[in-house]
Amino acid sequence: MLTPQWLDQLRSRVTLSALIGRTTRLQKAGREYKACCPFHNEKTPSFTVNDEKGFYHCFGCGAHGDAIRWMTDHQGLSFVDAVKELAAEAGMDVPAPDPRAARAAEKRDTLHDVMNAAQDWFARNLASPEGEAARVYLATRGFAAHTVARFGFGYAPEGRQAMKEALSRFPEAMLIEAGLRIEVENRDPYDRFRGRLMLPIEDARGRVIAFGGRILAKGKTDAPKYLNSPDTPLFDKGRTLYNLHRAAPAARQSGRMIVVEGYMDVIAMAAAGIAECVAPLGTALTENQIELLWRHVETPILCFDGDAAGQRAAMRAVSRALPLLRPAHSLRIVRLPEGLDPDDLIRAKGARAMEDLLAGARGLVDVLWEFERDALPLVTPEAKAGLKARLLAHVDAIQNPDIAGLYRRDLLDRYSEFAFPRRENRWQQGGGQGNARPKGSQRGAWNGRPPPAPSSPESIDRLRRRFDAARGSGARDALSAAVLAGLIRWPAQLARHAEALARTPGLDPRFTALLDCCDAMDTLESGELATILSKIGLEVPAAAEYSGLRFSFLHSEAGEEQAASDLTQAIDLLVQRPVLESALAQATARFESELSEEAFAEQQRLLKRKLEFDDRLRQMATRQAGS
């Protein structure tokens, strides 16, 4: 057993600076060593190594650990392998594990022998007369001899028993367990890979753990074009990234990691000089693979084909990444031109074209917006409401509350711009272009002449008429009253939120008069605003109206910056609510008329979102009031 005492003794025998100094240039700085961090790109050293305390730390990216952690995070070893390697250098014997673990480790070591023997056999076959078809195929791909040798290409002959005969020194049960032979009931086992160009799949230490094979016979349609090893004691396809052991050192130099769809794409990229490239193995990118990528770079780039299948693959990766997002860790997406894979693009336009595409990689929020916007026709109000519901469903998947809030605001802003095209309005001249106004115009100008003073009889009369016209419409409730009181208390926020509020149907009619006050030449003071509103019959909402929602922006001691942030969150909820309630009402009506499982599922999904919305509102109000 590896006891804490034994591990502490191991750490004490390792000089951490000597261990890290093998791959990272360290400079002495007092009692510590400094370097540019090997875990992220930087120009100013923020990585320190302290031999006395036995740990390293980066003040830039937060990387921190001891000698064992260095071997697992930087060198890519498993915990057990890291301990064994350090113990061998320190001259310590690793305590024997329990018998079952020892047998499992012995089996793994033996299976590695099987895989190495199989790789040697495949490579010899490629150079033999039998491998001519495979060599011709490699020549058509333009792979140079050193690329073929570096990536270990081989060939599996057609015979169903060829591997069994070639690796006869290993029991057949081991060949089956290694995934090289297939055992079926009532039939003799046979070779898994036959008539295929072979490629070894290695782990983070460069050991062969599986194989991938491409069929060479063009007319053979009863077998998959690409075939990978099954999961074995050595190989878990959901936790393995092809070429990681080569790409990781290159990524430490370039600061990026690129994910393509297949291993042939990886090799084409490497042949073009882009070495920091990996690929999943026959599956969509998994959560474990995303975390594995984040151990090397904070924002890996996913490069997908430009066709519909590539777009679906990108969205599957995005959907799996959203719940995992954390500060500074995300993904970027590149879509290739339709009909081209990386090899095609590089052949047609050169490596520079690929580099230009990678430089233009887009963030997740951009990909989410464009995918959902273009997924369905958006010609009816119901379809537009469906777009908003889909966007918010993605936001709900994000576990980090800060990131979720930022995504929600960004996507809702884009949705508002799309669903409600900007027009010239009372509070913003120039058709919605920020603060830009036509030359010679004034803010709030009436037919080219300056507006009257906000407290003038003319302005008061106009505001009263608009308020009276709207008095009978809209709903009054606690959230509306709280937001009204917040805007009156912080009138500088009116211009920021006026357009979003004006677009929202069914609001408290008092918002109509409040928004009209944005016609003033300058931002009104809170007291002056309250005076004007009282003259038209709109009193500041009393505390009793929003007694259930004690937001911090209504607190007498609230600071302006925090109040603005909290008020923005409350307005976001106010704007979202009618769309959600409308969608829920439509889903309920559909279920009552159809009585179908699909309609019921949609109604229940929206009902759950409505309950979560109400819960989020209560939590936000309670949290903000407490703060």
Side-chain angles (χ1 to χ4, degrees), residues 63-139:
H64 182 93
D66 56 16
I68 299 173
R69 186 67 177 268
W70 172 263
M71 298 297 283
T72 58
D73 286 6
H74 188 267
Q75 302 299 317
L77 304 185
S78 67
F79 176 82
V80 173
D81 288 336
V83 168
K84 286 181 177 180
E85 191 162 318
L86 292 174
E89 295 184 12
M92 296 175 63
D93 293 327
V94 178
D98 64 75
R100 285 178 299 178
R103 285 194 295 271
E106 183 179 352
K107 178 182 292 185
R108 284 196 298 272
D109 291 340
T110 308
L111 289 180
H112 279 302
D113 294 336
V114 173
M115 301 305 280
N116 286 333
Q119 168 59 16
D120 291 342
W121 181 63
F122 288 140
R124 289 196 303 271
N125 290 338
L126 181 64
S128 72
E130 281 185 298
E132 182 179 0
R135 296 195 299 272
V136 169
Y137 172 79
L138 289 171

Side-chain angles (χ1 to χ4, degrees), residues 214-474:
R214 187 195 190 281
I215 203 164
L216 292 172
K218 293 182 179 180
K220 192 173 179 61
T221 58
D222 59 346
K225 182 177 179 181
Y226 287 96
L227 178 66
N228 291 333
S229 293
D231 284 351
T232 69
L234 297 181
F235 177 54
D236 182 341
K237 60 177 174 289
R239 296 175 180 270
T240 304
L241 287 168
Y242 175 72
N243 198 48
L244 182 62
H245 67 294
R246 300 185 190 92
R252 288 194 287 273
Q253 298 298 318
S254 67
R256 69 180 183 182
M257 185 85 80
I258 303 157
V259 184
V260 292
E261 294 194 47
Y263 34 70
M264 298 301 282
D265 295 329
V266 169
I267 298 168
M269 296 277 275
I274 304 173
E276 60 276 27
C277 205
V278 298
L281 293 154
T283 64
L285 201 65
T286 67
E287 290 85 348
N288 287 316
Q289 289 168 332
I290 293 171
E291 292 287 358
L292 188 57
L293 288 166
W294 282 344
R295 288 173 57 180
H296 298 278
V297 296
E298 291 181 342
T299 53
I301 300 172
L302 310 188
C303 184
F304 293 98
D305 294 347
D307 56 12
Q311 191 171 16
R312 288 193 298 271
M315 279 307 299
R316 284 196 297 270
V318 170
S319 298
R320 288 185 171 176
L322 288 176
L324 308 177
L325 294 180
R326 53 181 181 265
H329 290 76
S330 186
L331 302 175
R332 289 183 290 160
I333 309 291
V334 165
R335 283 186 63 190
L336 294 167
E338 189 166 357
L340 298 181
D341 61 23
D343 190 26
D344 296 329
L345 178 64
I346 291 169
R347 286 189 183 192
K349 300 184 179 180
R352 183 71 261 168
M354 176 59 73
E355 289 286 3
D356 290 342
L357 271 180
L358 295 173
R362 296 171 301 151
L364 290 191
V365 69
D366 297 316
V367 175
L368 268 180
W369 165 250
E370 292 181 10
F371 179 83
E372 294 297 357
R373 181 198 62 194
D374 301 337
L376 296 169
L378 299 173
V379 295
T380 66
E382 294 81 2
K384 292 179 180 179
L387 167 63
K388 187 172 185 178
R390 294 195 302 274
L391 293 172
L392 292 177
H394 288 301
V395 173
D396 290 343
I398 300 173
Q399 301 298 312
N400 184 285
D402 293 333
I403 296 175
L406 292 168
Y407 266 65
R408 178 175 289 105
R409 187 59 188 255
D410 190 303
L411 290 171
L412 287 177
D413 284 348
R414 296 178 193 226
Y415 172 80
S416 295
E417 291 287 342
F418 173 79
F420 308 100
R422 288 178 178 263
R423 302 169 184 167
E424 187 170 340
N425 51 58
R426 298 186 307 278
W427 54 84
Q428 185 170 298
Q429 293 290 334
Q433 300 302 316
N435 292 322
R437 298 190 295 276
K439 186 176 181 180
S441 70
Q442 292 178 298
R443 180 181 173 188
W446 292 6
N447 298 321
R449 60 186 176 86
S455 57
S456 69
E458 186 179 0
S459 290
I460 295 297
D461 184 58
R462 182 174 61 87
L463 290 172
R464 183 183 291 113
R465 288 197 306 270
R466 289 184 57 79
F467 179 51
D468 289 343
R471 192 187 296 272
S473 63

Side-chain angles (χ1 to χ4, degrees), residues 478-480 482-483 545-555 562 565-571 573 612-627:
L479 177 59
S480 296
V483 171
E545 288 191 59
Y546 48 84
S547 59
L549 299 173
R550 298 292 188 180
F551 287 99
S552 66
F553 54 78
L554 300 175
H555 196 279
Q562 185 61 46
S565 174
D566 296 344
L567 182 57
T568 295
Q569 294 183 54
I571 292 172
L573 291 176
E612 291 172 348
F613 177 95
D614 295 338
D615 185 56
R616 189 164 74 246
L617 174 59
R618 286 192 297 271
Q619 290 180 358
M620 186 171 69
T622 304
R623 181 176 67 251
Q624 293 180 356
S627 62

Side-chain angles (χ1 to χ4, degrees), residues 16-28 33-40 42 45-49 56-58 70 73-75 249 252-253:
L16 189 58
S17 61
L19 178 67
I20 296 176
R22 296 173 188 171
T23 55
T24 303
R25 181 175 295 179
L26 300 176
Q27 292 182 336
K28 186 72 173 176
Y33 293 86
K34 284 190 173 183
C36 288
C37 180
F39 293 99
H40 78 288
E42 61 177 6
S46 61
F47 181 81
T48 63
V49 180
Y56 59 86
H57 182 79
C58 176
W70 172 263
D73 286 6
H74 188 267
Q75 302 299 317
R252 288 194 287 273
Q253 298 298 318

